[in-house]
Amino acid sequence: MAILADKNTRLIVQGITGREGDFHARQMHAYSPIIVGGVTPGKGGMILDYGVPVFDTCGAAVRSVGANASVIYVPAKFAPDAILEAADAGIKLIVCITEGVPVNDMIRVRAYLDAKGDVTLIGPNCPGMITPGQAKIGIIPGAICKPGRVGLVSRSGTLTYEAVDALTRAGLGQSSIIGIGGDPVRGLNFLEVVKLFNNDPDTDAIVMLGEIGGSDEEVAARWIKDNVKKPMAGFIAGQAAPEGKRMGHAGAIIEGGMGTAASKIAAMTAAGIRMATLPTDIPELILAGLNA
Amino acid sequence: MKLHEYQSKNIFRDNGIPAPDGEVVDTPAAARAAAERIGLPCMVKAQVLTGGRGKAGGVKFCTTADAVEEKAKSILALNIKGFPVRKVLVTSAADILTEIYFGIVTDRSTRRAVVMCSAAGGMDIEEVAVTHPEKIMRVPLDPFTGTLPDYVARDIAVFIGLPKEHWNDFIAIARGLAQVYMKNDASLAEINPLAMTVNPNGPGGKKLMALDGKIVIDDNAMYRHPELEPLRDPDEDSAAEKLARKADLNYVSLDGNIGCLVNGAGLAMATLDVIQHFGGKAANFLDVAGGAKADKVTAALRIILADPGVKVVMFNIFGGITRCDEVAKGIVQAINEIKPTVPFVARITGTNKEAGDAILASANIITAQTAAEAAQKAVALANG
């Protein structure tokens, strides 16, 4: 079954005729044919060369083709509006790839979605998600994934790919891979994704890749300690990062002594998660957990 | 983007928050002239984007114009935590009775902008939060209106024990602070201290004044604040960081000797960790992002190699949607163009990895199969 999306998901792409949207929509379509439409205001009525219809609004896409998931590739200044548009059109799963959305905008968007209650947001500033062999929503390269029973959740992009590639090479396939993104205020968090994997009968083990900044890893670890019986492995990036410097991701910063790698590693270790020294050590830690 | 004290105070005044008169100058003579205009006694304060100015001798109380000139001279010669002092603020000295902390900050865990106020002002609020959390009142700003209602401000005034004749002034300051935070897309706007000062114009001969302040603007929101761009201090980022920003690269200068070129912020952080694990020290954090195309790799290499401390450059690239052979061609093209003298260690993995390795090896680049192997080779070269 995997989590959040599968081969029956009906996906639209917001910004499908833009440079990023066009490139990645083709990649997604080639991997899993779940795209039922695209949205670009003013280009409604167009049919793309790979057979996907374009709509002017999310509302039109939902009415015409019954979309239930959306992936957003529009520039940062339009992304908050795009998320709200998808939510108001009745889309239940929204994945925002866009990087550089102002935090105050995301505070308002999250508050709106929370009040609405039944919408799941992934991102922004994230690689999206993939259920290998079934549904690719975002930019995670399909070629490195393999269907299987390990769930993975991460704040980063290429670090995720590194770990997934290592898992696949070790013969460990994945149920779903969720990149929650590197922004300080975002949609799904570690805790919510770990809960989904914990309840998923098709996930046997869980990988959690965190990084410096904030306390979401610690919050998840406290819950994991008492509630997760499935074997888990983890890694925290940024052990060598200096305080007060933003390490690429808007949320990757140690402030006032908070959000350090040491604190996260301690909390995750205390929760029974096998912590890797190097991201490529993840497969052997998962194997050790599955065989224990 | 961080703003200086004097810039923050100007914004405070524009939003109805009282702050003492002051002038920013960059020479001792100009400091003297400013003090003569403002009146003595006065404070001379270093304007640098770091904390601990007082401890470093960057804040002085002066009673004569001669003292102002002399202190300005010594402060302008200081370097505080790596930041050269280029400007001082000359501001009238206040007679302080009590000090309050009053700030608004983005709180990641509650996903709100949170107003924080404490009667324990003048101190480091992070320290108060650890030692006496009960002394801080926290109230989230409404995410839709972005305002702090008067009744909430009054409740905060009651919490910190402010005498009632000052409540209206405090409410006006609270309104102003919320406005400063929202209007400028700040991630931090703080007054510390908000001081009760002796002042004949205030109720009972006392008045609340912002004696120091700090504003940090969300860089992601700068596109809608062209009016703030001139306030950027060129010293906030190193020369290399400025070049990187222009080239649309994520770069942070560090103090080691192994240059790093990585795609993706998470993998770039992990690369620094691996280098540290094997006893080395990275010279920088650098995320070339996206497809690691030749022009970006070239720009990134120029920035890395401009640091004379760099003894070796380590590539750690994950070829995902962009295939490894394409990335490898980009790296070779960049190296051919720049013709650097330091050695290169490259670890490239993902789609078409074998073809990528072959291209790198034919260009005499040391290759490695894992990040660990690459880091070990880079550390050996850096220390050798």
Side-chain angles (χ1 to χ4, degrees), chain A residues 21 41 44 57 88 251 285:
Chain A
T57 63
D88 279 347
L285 296 176

Side-chain angles (χ1 to χ4, degrees), chain B residues 235-251:
Chain B
D235 288 337
E236 184 180 356
D237 297 328
S238 68
E241 285 168 357
K242 265 174 276 182
L243 275 177
R245 191 166 48 229
K246 278 203 193 110
D248 200 22
L249 300 163
N250 288 315
Y251 175 94

Side-chain angles (χ1 to χ4, degrees), chain A residues 250-271:
Chain A
I253 180 168
I254 301 170
E255 291 165 304
M258 305 291 284
T260 63
S263 149
K264 292 171 191 300
I265 292 169
M268 288 168 75
T269 305

Side-chain angles (χ1 to χ4, degrees), chain B residues 102 163 315 318:
Chain B
F102 199 14
F315 285 91
F318 192 95

Side-chain angles (χ1 to χ4, degrees), chain A residues 29-156:
Chain A
H29 181 72
Y31 185 84
S32 52
I34 57 169
I35 301 180
V36 295
V39 175
T40 299
K43 296 203 173 161
M46 205 172 142
I47 306 281
L48 298 169
D49 57 78
Y50 49 102
V52 169
V54 180
F55 301 94
D56 287 316
T57 63
C58 286
V62 170
R63 289 189 294 271
S64 303
V65 290
N68 59 14
S70 175
V71 59
I72 296 172
Y73 291 95
V74 305
K77 61 169 81 165
F78 307 120
D81 192 57
I83 297 171
L84 297 177
E85 180 184 353
D88 279 347
I91 305 256
K92 300 299 174 209
L93 174 67
I94 303 169
V95 179
C96 183
I97 308 300
T98 308
E99 179 178 355
V101 180
V103 176
N104 284 341
D105 290 359
M106 277 316 298
I107 288 176
R108 207 174 57 247
V109 167
R110 253 315 291 258
Y112 184 82
L113 299 185
D114 289 348
K116 215 172 159 66
D118 57 348
V119 182
T120 298
L121 173 68
I122 301 178
N125 189 13
C126 77
M129 68 160 292
I130 187 166
T131 292
Q134 297 193 52
K136 167 172 151 119
I137 306 179
I139 63 175
I140 297 173
I144 58 168
C145 306
K146 173 185 158 165
R149 304 185 60 86
V150 178
L152 187 144
V153 54
S154 169
R155 268 168 76 184
S156 135

